[in-house]
Amino acid sequence: MTSKLLVVGSVAFDTIQTRAGKVEEALGGSATYVSLAASRFAGVNLVGVVGEGDFPQEHVTLLKSRGVDVAGLERAKGRTFRWSGVYADDFSSRTTLDTQLGVFESFDPKIPAPYLDSRYVLLGNIHPALQLKVLDALPRAEFVAADTMNLWINVTRPELERVVSRVHLLVVNDEESFLLTGERQVRLAADRILAMGPSAVIIKRGEHGALLFTRDSVFYTPGLPLPEVVDPTGAGDTFAGGLLGYLAGESAHDVASIRRGMLYGTALASYAVQGFGVTPLTNLTRAQIDSRYDEVRKLTSVEG
Ligand code: AMP
């Protein structure tokens, strides 16, 4: 039996500059990356908001063609969320040049009736009060993962702590884990987060991979060293989408499945960074994904 994945988060137009070039107003947003990655393994129900007049039908067609249900993609009066960023030449840092929230500013997720029995859920980095509202609407949720960002840790900590206490998996990067816990050492930060409630936490370390901590285990997925990076935007979202999509597709959330899902997430993220925007995610075959999965797995296998 497979389950569908419910994804809530931003849908955006991204303008991105890297040493490899520039794209303007490309389809992006964390929920878009998550959905296009997850839909390689499971059906996806997307809840988000775009502007009623500026979001091209071709983007909707693309999402639908990849198995993403867009009944929860609201069209509101105003402009679609726009984000713009530039990467350092060595990709070690990114500067946000512009954020225009548009209709995302007053986003109030509405879950269509057919999604209310969702069992697998990925709460993207929206206001924690909205993450809580979504959780309250899903009585059957069996495995919920949440993402967040510095802004919410700094500005809405009590609500964010309530979210953390109610999810099964928190996915953060090392800077966010430090902000949330005050601990610079990754093991101590993970222990603090696990003490807040989740049964698992993943701490992402950019190109260096990701660590999974449960109460009694630690697992590491390295990032695949690539000859050429074009655009790292959405790599973390792609990783999380691949992982959660795999779990929903398998209808499983035991530790071994989470580990396999992390390898799939890493494989998908390695493709995502090799082109601008979501384009690399749209035409991958299952054979390509499986071959990268093997490459990632072999990175830490003595036998090869
Ligand atoms: P990542 O590279 O994983 O940080 O994700 C980049 C994606 O996040 C881009 O497609 C942006 O449109 C989206 N994004 C940027 N800022 C925000 C924000 N404040 N809230 C939600 N999504 C955002």
Side-chain angles (χ1 to χ4, degrees):
M1 186 189 63
T2 69
S3 302
K4 289 186 90 174
L5 178 69
L6 177 68
V7 176
V8 186
S10 62
V11 177
F13 292 132
D14 289 345
T15 294
I16 305 159
Q17 283 176 62
T18 78
R19 58 184 283 176
K22 180 171 182 178
V23 285
E24 308 227 13
E25 306 226 325
L27 174 63
S30 61
T32 309
Y33 281 99
V34 167
S35 297
L36 290 172
S39 65
R40 311 317 301 237
F41 305 105
V44 174
N45 293 329
L46 169 61
V47 172
V49 66
V50 294
E52 71 182 356
D54 66 354
F55 195 74
Q57 188 56 34
E58 68 183 84
H59 293 341
V60 176
T61 306
L62 169 74
L63 289 163
K64 282 187 181 166
S65 75
R66 302 299 343 159
V68 180
D69 187 299
V70 293
L73 184 62
E74 184 190 342
R75 284 167 181 272
K77 227 181 224 7
R79 275 159 58 88
T80 298
F81 176 45
R82 282 166 168 80
W83 174 81
S84 165
V86 56
Y87 288 83
D89 279 354
D90 63 0
F91 293 105
S92 64
S93 62
R94 167 170 94 185
T95 308
T96 291
L97 299 176
D98 191 27
T99 301
Q100 297 175 25
L101 290 173
V103 293
F104 194 55
E105 184 160 18
S106 44
F107 179 42
D108 183 17
K110 294 164 200 73
I111 316 291
Y115 301 179
L116 291 174
D117 60 357
S118 296
R119 293 165 55 233
Y120 287 79
V121 183
L122 182 52
L123 302 171
N125 75 3
I126 53 176
H127 192 298
L130 298 178
Q131 292 178 316
L132 285 169
K133 187 188 154 189
V134 172
L135 264 180
D136 285 340
L138 303 172
R140 298 245 166 84
E142 187 179 310
F143 192 78
V144 181
D147 186 9
T148 191
M149 65 193 287
N150 293 0
L151 172 70
W152 307 129
I153 300 172
N154 288 327
V155 176
T156 56
R157 179 175 286 267
E159 284 133 310
L160 182 63
E161 285 178 355
R162 276 209 293 287
V163 173
V164 175
S165 75
R166 289 184 53 188
V167 301
H168 304 91
L169 168 67
L170 184 73
V171 184
V172 285
N173 63 34
D174 36 17
E175 194 55 37
E176 291 158 353
S177 74
F178 164 60
L179 261 185
L180 188 59
T181 65
E183 290 291 353
R184 277 255 175 234
Q185 280 191 59
V186 72
R187 171 84 241 195
L188 298 179
D191 285 345
R192 287 266 178 109
I193 292 169
L194 291 173
M196 292 164 77
S199 49
V201 55
I202 290 176
I203 300 187
K204 296 176 290 178
R205 318 197 88 185
E207 64 177 307
H208 304 299
L211 283 155
L212 165 72
F213 296 89
T214 66
R215 288 200 172 72
D216 52 16
S217 70
V218 186
F219 178 72
Y220 174 60
T221 356
L224 194 62
L226 295 164
E228 195 197 8
V229 172
V230 171
D231 170 20
T233 308
D237 302 316
T238 301
F239 169 82
L243 162 61
L244 266 291
Y246 175 76
L247 296 178
E250 297 290 309
S251 265
H253 49 80
D254 56 286
V255 175
S257 298
I258 298 176
R259 292 175 177 183
R260 273 192 291 277
M262 287 174 70
L263 293 184
Y264 277 116
T266 302
L268 283 168
S270 76
Y271 280 116
V273 303
Q274 291 189 304
F276 276 106
V278 298
T279 308
L281 290 175
T282 57
N283 48 17
L284 284 177
T285 64
R286 183 61 198 246
Q288 285 175 304
I289 297 169
D290 287 342
S291 126
R292 279 276 163 98
Y293 178 102
D294 273 338
E295 276 187 67
V296 178
R297 192 180 51 77
K298 284 178 187 157
L299 282 177
T300 52
S301 159
V302 173
E303 285 75 29

